[in-house]
Amino acid sequence: MNCSADNASNKAAVTEPLKILYRDDALVAIDKPSGLLMHRSFLDKHETEFALQKLRDQIGQHVFPLHRLDRPTSGVLLFALSADTARLMTEQLTARHWQKYYLALCRGFFRAPGLLDYPLKEELDAIADKKADQDKDKQQAQTAFWPLAQVELPIAVGKYQAARYSLVLAQPLTGRKHQIRRHLAHLRHPVVGCVNHGEGRHNRLFREHFDCHRLVLHAARLELMHPLTGLPLQIDAPLTDLASLFSRLGFQTDWSWYQQQMLNCQPALAQLSALGENG
């Protein structure tokens, strides 16, 4: 099985029913495949599959999106089942009561955990945001990173005879557009498969040697307080199509191992020192 997001095989996968990770009377969470748009958009008029409409039709009721995942990103995507619940959850999100964890495959050896505090200028779309203020100040952006695994591939890239990569756990503490991708690019560890902030040579290596045509960024876990019970709620999205790639790279594919890594990093967050400009 490959990890493609731009070919015919992925189109077939997207047309399959969405995998529901959690559902009760207030909330429903899906495992969004890479390549699936959140909702209809004039930016891509040729698409016929959208997460919001697809989930609505699948469960037979209206759903209210509570956050978003970029089209190429896979993983946990949460919806409310009523407008009142959506309002309560939006208040939680605004107050930063949610915790999100992502897995990212990036170029180079990411040496040590750290907290990057690096403001980002708002990314505006040339069409959708053409009337927006083009000169806004940079916004606060913080992401914590933990290296999980490393691999060196005997494949020449540019002037190097081998290619090095790291699997990183990322926890965004703010919610800026493309924050994880932009922060890792700033640290000179661009995410594999990223078109706008990645490196073409490494993206091409994974297409040619691993048949991987997708962004290797996965929303692995979402933690929040349930809007009705007030109890903690944890929703995980296992590796799905990334398991094959991770296995070939020699990375863990047992989801319980990743659950333990996320558990281990939680008490360490407050102790992380800020990463320097060179990472």
Side-chain angles (χ1 to χ4, degrees):
M1 181 177 182
N2 61 36
C3 64
S4 300
D6 300 321
N7 57 20
S9 64
N10 190 73
K11 290 293 183 183
V14 169
T15 60
E16 296 176 355
L18 294 167
K19 180 179 180 181
I20 294 180
L21 301 170
Y22 177 87
R23 184 180 179 183
D24 61 18
D25 292 338
L27 302 169
V28 58
I30 65 169
D31 186 354
K32 187 189 84 67
S34 174
L36 181 63
L37 282 167
M38 274 284 298
H39 48 68
R40 296 183 187 277
S41 170
F42 68 89
L43 297 177
D44 200 328
K45 299 178 181 179
H46 303 291
E47 284 299 324
T48 59
E49 293 280 328
F50 310 93
L52 191 151
Q53 289 84 2
K54 190 175 177 68
L55 178 61
R56 177 199 62 196
D57 295 343
Q58 184 171 321
I59 67 173
Q61 67 181 104
H62 287 290
V63 294
F64 300 79
L66 299 176
H67 62 126
R68 61 165 293 168
L69 290 178
D70 297 328
R71 179 178 186 173
T73 305
S74 59
V76 182
L77 185 59
L78 186 65
F79 297 82
L81 295 178
S82 73
D84 288 340
T85 300
R87 176 181 52 79
L88 292 172
M89 297 306 294
T90 300
E91 291 173 359
Q92 272 196 36
L93 181 59
T94 302
R96 298 187 184 181
H97 292 163
W98 290 19
Q99 301 294 324
K100 301 176 183 179
Y101 297 89
Y102 291 74
L103 295 172
L105 179 65
C106 62
R107 186 204 70 184
F109 281 178
F110 201 105
R111 299 293 183 180
L115 175 64
L116 177 62
D117 187 347
Y118 180 73
L120 296 171
K121 193 170 182 62
E122 184 176 3
E123 281 194 342
L124 300 175
D125 183 88
I127 299 176
D129 299 316
K130 63 181 179 180
K131 296 183 179 180
D133 182 0
Q134 303 292 320
D135 297 314
K136 286 185 179 179
D137 292 336
K138 290 183 177 181
Q139 300 171 303
Q140 180 190 28
Q142 296 178 322
T143 311
F145 295 104
W146 290 266
L148 300 182
Q150 299 173 340
V151 63
E152 183 171 276
L153 303 176
I155 303 172
V157 179
K159 63 181 181 180
Y160 300 101
Q161 296 305 305
R164 292 178 171 183
Y165 301 95
S166 295
L167 179 61
V168 174
L169 179 66
Q171 182 183 8
L173 306 183
T174 51
R176 308 307 174 201
K177 187 176 181 180
H178 299 163
Q179 177 173 313
I180 295 173
R181 289 192 259 172
R182 296 171 71 187
H183 269 177
L184 282 171
H186 172 72
L187 294 173
R188 301 183 181 178
H189 292 292
V191 178
V192 170
C194 182
V195 175
N196 295 327
H197 306 287
E199 287 197 2
R201 293 177 300 178
H202 295 273
N203 297 346
R204 185 165 55 251
L205 182 153
F206 273 81
R207 290 195 302 269
E208 294 175 352
H209 292 269
F210 297 96
D211 194 22
C212 185
H213 299 255
R214 60 161 288 179
L215 173 73
V216 190
L217 180 63
H218 180 68
R221 172 175 291 179
L222 178 60
E223 296 178 355
L224 60 146
M225 303 299 291
H226 193 281
L228 302 184
T229 67
L231 297 175
L233 177 61
Q234 174 184 300
I235 306 172
D236 282 8
L239 296 176
T240 57
D241 69 315
L242 287 176
S244 175
L245 174 66
F246 283 17
S247 178
R248 294 178 66 185
L249 293 173
F251 296 160
Q252 280 280 352
T253 58
D254 182 353
W255 189 247
S256 64
W257 184 84
Y258 291 95
Q259 291 175 315
Q260 186 61 50
Q261 304 314 304
M262 287 184 275
L263 181 64
N264 291 345
C265 76
Q266 291 176 0
L269 178 61
Q271 302 174 13
L272 289 178
S273 58
L275 291 174
E277 286 295 308
N278 295 322

